[in-house]
Amino acid sequence: MALANIGNLQNLEDNYRKNLINSFTGFKSVSLLGSIDEKGMSNLAIFSQIIHVGAHPPLIGILFRPPTVKRGTLENILNTKFFTINHIREDFYQEAHQTSARYEESEFDACGLEEEYLNDFPAPFVKEAYVKASASYVSHYEIKENGTIFLIAELQQLYIPEEALGEDGFIALETAGTITCTGLDTYHRTTKIARLSYAKPGKKLEIIG
Amino acid sequence: MALANIGNLQNLEDNYRKNLINSFTGFKSVSLLGSIDEKGMSNLAIFSQIIHVGAHPPLIGILFRPPTVKRGTLENILNTKFFTINHIREDFYQEAHQTSARYEESEFDACGLEEEYLNDFPAPFVKEAYVKASASYVSHYEIKENGTIFLIAELQQLYIPEEALGEDGFIALETAGTITCTGLDTYHRTTKIARLSYAKPGKKLEIIG
């Protein structure tokens, strides 16, 4: 396999570098974040920068771009403290991608996704999503190197298709229809290779699922 | 689709909650981080908590668990400032998973992966990997909520299979053989659904790749 060696990353053309660095970081979690402003207008936006921070308490981290222009989702979360996370399925990945356009109105109507309110939680869910959660703001850290914001949130309630939820808590995301993305604009479905046993020195791995 | 509603996350059994929360955060980037200690012993460890932080400068973020026990990779990066990121292919995903066992010796030999040094960079690469990069420490933030460390690093040089590198810098990770993971132990290959055009209000999306 012939490998291209790319150095001097700072000197690359802007768009080339953006595609390159965004795709180098690999396959990503991609979700729709639902929020609401203080006047009651809903907002829906696609994010691929969500990671697991801890299980106990159940914390996630979301990286937001610098708040130098209006960032509806970030402002709403800072103001109201509540939002939802909705996994994307292939059935509505184009509607999900379309939420990245700059709308003045709610992206739910503009992009053709249905707003849903569950268990008196104040922020809107995506009705079409099968895997979703309510979450609340905990804190945030400014990344001084480039002004991005790493926001910590706590998961409140999860909604998971019964057929995708294992006895040990593992979620079979393929069964639930969740997809993944690379770079800024490319979507992929997945096929399980295997689930592996816990690794210990000198012990042969087993395929457990 | 019948959805299970799971609340009271704090009261779930520990292992169940760990699987649940780790799989809720979706498909993840999964890579081997290569590092070296001050005595010259190499270290290789699997990580699924890497995200894109910025393209200019080219920054990534890695979340490390709390440094309450020996964390070889984190210590090595803090001490020597250099490490490598190596995407995992299906050909060696079991060897990659095995690096999560606690070894006293170098995981390269113990797990059957070949150490490689490129362009005088001081940290080891994985020879079997097709997509890889050298990176240097920039800074780190302690997440006070649970003691995890969010480390910022700058990409130095990338190595990308020529056939996977697009004219606009996009990396076709499937062509390069990169895989993804969910939860703590499950690996998946992917199939591209589509690459979509840049979204603008009122403009129909196009499939561009």
Side-chain angles (χ1 to χ4, degrees), chain B residues 96-168:
Chain B
H97 184 75
Q98 186 64 32
T99 64
S100 61
R102 298 201 162 277
Y103 288 102
E104 296 298 318
E105 70 268 35
S106 168
E107 290 82 2
F108 278 98
D109 280 348
C111 302
L113 290 164
E114 192 172 342
E115 207 167 326
E116 179 185 45
Y117 291 85
L118 297 174
N119 285 335
D120 295 323
F121 192 73
F125 292 86
V126 174
K127 189 171 174 62
E128 291 84 350
Y130 291 163
V131 177
K132 40 198 170 188
S134 50
S136 59
Y137 170 86
V138 173
S139 69
H140 68 276
Y141 298 82
E142 187 187 338
I143 306 303
K144 61 181 185 300
E145 286 71 23
N146 67 356
T148 51
I149 302 291
F150 189 58
L151 185 141
I152 308 293
E154 181 168 342
L155 297 176
Q156 299 292 333
Q157 296 205 16
L158 305 190
Y159 299 86
I160 313 287
E162 286 171 2
E163 65 190 77
L165 183 60
E167 281 181 10
D168 64 354

Side-chain angles (χ1 to χ4, degrees), chain A residues 1-7 9-10 15-29 49 51-60 63 85 87 90 93-94 97-98 100-103 119 130-133 138-139 141-146 148 150 152 154-163 165-171 173-174 178-180 182 185-197 199-201 203 205 207, chain B residues 1-7 9-10 15-29 49 51-60 63 85 87 90 93-94 97-98 100-103 119 130-133 138-139 141-146 148 150 152 154-163 165-171 173-174 178-180 182 185-197 199-201 203 205 207:
Chain A
M1 178 71 60
L3 303 187
N5 174 207
I6 310 169
L9 301 178
Q10 301 274 13
N15 195 53
Y16 186 97
R17 182 178 47 238
K18 199 189 285 183
N19 282 319
L20 183 73
I21 306 302
N22 271 284
S23 46
F24 178 78
T25 41
F27 290 97
K28 299 186 277 192
S29 176
Q49 309 283 67
I51 59 173
H52 177 267
V53 168
H56 195 199
L59 300 178
I60 59 165
L63 193 88
I85 302 160
H87 285 206
E90 193 168 345
Y93 83 100
Q94 295 207 10
H97 184 76
Q98 186 64 33
S100 61
R102 297 200 163 275
Y103 288 102
N119 285 333
Y130 290 163
V131 177
K132 41 199 169 188
V138 174
S139 70
Y141 298 81
E142 186 187 338
I143 306 303
K144 62 180 184 301
E145 286 71 23
N146 67 355
T148 52
F150 189 58
I152 308 293
E154 181 167 343
L155 296 176
Q156 298 292 333
Q157 296 204 14
L158 305 189
Y159 299 87
I160 313 288
E162 285 171 2
E163 65 191 77
L165 183 59
E167 281 182 9
D168 64 354
F170 179 75
I171 309 168
L173 291 176
E174 268 154 32
T178 296
I179 62 172
T180 177
T182 53
D185 49 21
T186 305
Y187 300 87
H188 312 255
R189 68 180 82 91
T190 65
T191 305
K192 185 170 75 173
I193 300 168
R195 187 174 184 190
L196 296 178
S197 57
K200 291 183 181 175
K203 187 162 172 257
L205 289 173
I207 292 176
Chain B
M1 179 70 60
L3 303 187
N5 174 208
I6 310 169
L9 301 178
Q10 300 273 12
N15 196 53
Y16 187 97
R17 183 179 46 239
K18 199 188 286 183
N19 281 319
L20 184 72
I21 306 303
N22 272 284
S23 45
F24 178 78
T25 40
F27 291 97
K28 300 186 277 192
S29 175
Q49 309 284 69
I51 59 173
H52 177 266
V53 168
H56 194 201
L59 299 178
I60 59 164
L63 194 87
I85 302 160
H87 285 206
E90 194 168 343
Y93 82 100
Q94 295 207 10
H97 184 75
Q98 186 64 32
S100 61
R102 298 201 162 277
Y103 288 102
N119 285 335
Y130 291 163
V131 177
K132 40 198 170 188
V138 173
S139 69
Y141 298 82
E142 187 187 338
I143 306 303
K144 61 181 185 300
E145 286 71 23
N146 67 356
T148 51
F150 189 58
I152 308 293
E154 181 168 342
L155 297 176
Q156 299 292 333
Q157 296 205 16
L158 305 190
Y159 299 86
I160 313 287
E162 286 171 2
E163 65 190 77
L165 183 60
E167 281 181 10
D168 64 354
F170 179 75
I171 308 168
L173 292 176
E174 269 155 30
T178 297
I179 62 172
T180 176
T182 53
D185 49 21
T186 305
Y187 299 86
H188 311 255
R189 69 181 79 95
T190 66
T191 306
K192 186 169 74 171
I193 300 167
R195 186 174 184 189
L196 295 178
S197 56
K200 291 182 180 176
K203 184 161 174 260
L205 288 174
I207 291 176

